[in-house]
Amino acid sequence: QQTQDFTFILTTVDKKTAQLVRVDKRNGEIVNTIYLNKDKTPMYEVDGIENRAFYKSAANKIEGYQF
């Protein structure tokens, strides 16, 4: 997903750890990282207006991140 100034990319640190990175479109730098542990197909949503990301980490749990 992406906003006007940033894009979000799902990557892996190693074979066991996934992460969602927020990348600045102007310079390509990683601005923020959300570690998703072993979840390689995460359910997440980005709110570009409020600069937040929401991640469903378990069947009954949603985590919110403010950027």
Side-chain angles (χ1 to χ4, degrees), residues 43-60:
M43 292 182 62
Y44 69 93
E45 196 66 39
V46 174
D47 180 347
I49 296 171
E50 296 292 328
N51 289 316
R52 297 181 193 175
F54 299 95
Y55 164 56
K56 185 175 181 182
S57 58
N60 60 349

Side-chain angles (χ1 to χ4, degrees), residues 24-42:
D24 188 318
K25 289 182 180 179
R26 293 170 293 205
N27 57 24
E29 291 183 14
I30 295 175
V31 181
N32 301 96
T33 302
I34 300 171
Y35 292 97
L36 306 174
N37 297 317
K38 297 178 183 178
D39 191 352
K40 302 237 171 140
T41 56

